[in-house]
Amino acid sequence: MVNLLTFFTDPYPDELIYSAISRFHFYSGNTSFVETLEELFQSRSLVPSIEFGSHFSTLVQNLGSNYSVESLLAQNTVYPYFAPFITIERQKKLLEDVSTNGQGIHGRLGISGGKISRKQGLFYCSKCANNDINIFGEPYVHREHQLQGIDYCPHHELTLKMYPIDYREFSRNGYIRFDRRQMDLSELQEIESYEFKEVQVKLAKMAYRLLQIPINQFSIEKVFKKYRTLLRENNWLMTNTRLKREELFKAFISKFPQGFLEKYESLVTVNGQNQWLQIMVTNYLRNSVHPFRHLLLLYFFDEDIDSFLEIKEDDGPFGRGPWPCLNKAAKHYKDLVISDVEIKARDKVLIGKFSCSCGFEYTRVGPDKSEDDKWSKSRITAYGKVWEEKFEKLVSLDVSREKMALELDVSLKTIYNRIASKETSPELTEKYRAELLEWREKFPNANRKQFQTELKKTFTYLYNHDRGWLDAKFPSKRDTLHTPKNPDITLKNNTENRIEYYRSLLLDAIKECPDVTRTQLSRKFQRAYKYLSETDKEWFDANLPRKRQATTITNATDWELRDQEYYQKIKEVYPELMALEKPVRITGTLFSKRLNIFNLSVKSYVEKLPQTNKLLNEISETVQEFQIRRCCKVIDRMLEEDNAVRFERLRESCAVETKYFKKIKPYLEEYISKKQKKT
């Protein structure tokens, strides 16, 4: 039978229910804690819990309609500190735990395996205690001062002090009430207490803010998706799921003062396995992670609780599907008809490939920064039948190239190239056949892929208009991989061809640059060098440069003479590179390839050549400088042809992404203004 109490010491703001019960015991006049337990919980053997409590269903029945299990849990325990970092299922079960005997609480919250030590006593802030005495006439136990891992008061930024009475020695069934006579109410702080203060105060403020959030508003499922958003925005994800683990861990460790993570039992090592940080951001269902460590991650991301709550949950690097078809020739243009995206990583950059049933395929570099990115594409990888039919129709109608580019949503250069690829004649065929045969004679061991790379225009023409002759003279790789009647002979022939080709690569490099070293050859021709060193050792040792001692090289090299030689070569070839119809970015690597000087792209090597180094520094281009030069070249042509510049058409012609084009646009506008003034 439940008996309503005639009075109860209603909890003060942020007071633990444990503290309110201790005051009830004091004011009720009960001489034994067992009597108090009987009145509140109808049990004489209940063991008090400082942080959480138990048997709340019985307690609220005795207290009356002003209380509920949920309100006590949310307002008068430390549970809101943990709630956002456990699953929805555990949240429901924990409500059942506190309603009854509370035996499963610590396991569900991950406290038992969390490795963050529980506070061995009751804590208070001197200034808070003085304020409580002035306002309420007595001090009480604030829940924000009992949070594990938190050593500072979030309100006054003072270190917390431990109440001198140890609850572990006080009484098994007892409740400790703060007595002002037992407390150090001085607000002076020891100098030693200021170690790590800046970090700890921020963590304390975040922890207190957690106590104000409704306990059902968030769960680890939602928090994890927000973490993914932060990881993606900060470029810590390599693919949709794979983490840049080493880089992330190094950055995380460097964020905190030395010794901080060790002191607060949250050490992270770069090479360690199954660490709490990895669990938090990759597999939250594996184990519960202590809320203090979640605060450390938020601190690392420079987030507070309010800003974190505003973060959008991650839907993947390219948002939530479906995605639009960006085939402007199709009736379903910009309709959300693509249900899947294929995600790959290239040079640590995410690439999303979107394929429509009409055959149109495009890619986009991710992750998306805004919802508007869904309507953009980086590159078209396949046009499809619908697009091709529209292209053929526009060509037959003799529509202008510019209008075709607009109607098909491609660059003007693409239109010119596709029209050129359709043009054929016996004269052109003979011309391109001769180019291939000449190139083949010069490089007899080269493969079809190299031909396609070196003579792209020639290859494209022959592939489209003379494929039978091309395949006969230069079989594709897949043709040579068909299983023959006598595989042993074919395997032998393929091996011999491979050896001959690799030999020719190294010999040509040695011929063009006699002073090349083995190290330089191994870097430039990695596969050939390794293969010949393992399978053709006798030829390898006989024909490659001898291994040189470092001292011999240093003493034998006339750096001044080499500096003058390289300087002159670069100075001669530079105007040719700048005059190329198709601009190329001027870099040390470019000169290295053009002049067959292997080390011009190696900074430590070039620094030994002062004239060469100075010249390279003067003429080498950043990516932005090259984009500006390339755009200016197109601007000159536009002004000459139309006496006007359309920036969107300019951007497409120069293949500059929108976000980078915005940065260089002011320079282009200034260039256009100067050009127009001259005319």
Side-chain angles (χ1 to χ4, degrees), residues 599-648:
N599 284 330
L600 282 181
S601 57
V602 181
K603 185 179 179 182
S604 57
Y605 182 88
V606 177
E607 285 176 348
K608 298 176 183 178
L609 312 167
Q611 284 188 81
T612 304
N613 188 31
K614 183 181 179 182
L615 179 59
L616 284 175
N617 287 334
E618 289 174 356
I619 65 178
S620 292
E621 295 176 305
T622 64
V623 173
Q624 188 180 79
E625 288 171 342
F626 172 60
Q627 288 173 337
I628 292 171
R629 180 166 67 86
R630 184 170 56 181
C631 287
C632 288
K633 202 174 181 79
V634 177
I635 287 171
D636 290 343
R637 190 173 72 242
M638 285 182 168
L639 290 174
E640 185 179 340
E641 294 174 357
D642 304 326
N643 199 30
V645 176
R646 288 175 52 197
F647 280 106
E648 185 57 27

Side-chain angles (χ1 to χ4, degrees), residues 198-213:
E198 181 181 350
V199 180
Q200 258 290 340
V201 167
K202 289 184 179 179
L203 296 175
K205 291 182 182 297
M206 283 195 281
Y208 179 70
R209 182 68 185 94
L210 283 176
L211 299 179
Q212 317 304 314
I213 298 171

Side-chain angles (χ1 to χ4, degrees), residues 104-128:
I105 292 176
H106 290 83
R108 297 197 202 287
L109 296 178
I111 296 176
S112 54
K115 308 299 183 184
I116 302 292
S117 298
R118 298 175 66 186
K119 288 189 172 181
Q120 303 301 314
L122 292 171
F123 286 78
Y124 64 94
C125 162
S126 301
K127 196 161 187 176
C128 284

Side-chain angles (χ1 to χ4, degrees), residues 8 39 165 217 271 280 286 292 301 303 342 405 412 448 460 526 529 557 563 587 622 624 640 659:
F8 183 68
E39 288 183 27
I165 298 177
Q217 184 174 346
N271 298 319
M280 281 172 61
R286 182 175 175 182
F292 179 75
F301 281 123
E303 299 286 341
E342 181 185 340
L412 192 60
R448 182 157 162 161
T460 302
Q526 237 176 18
Y529 187 94
T557 303
D563 188 16
T587 63
T622 64
Q624 188 180 79
E640 185 179 340
K659 59 182 177 181

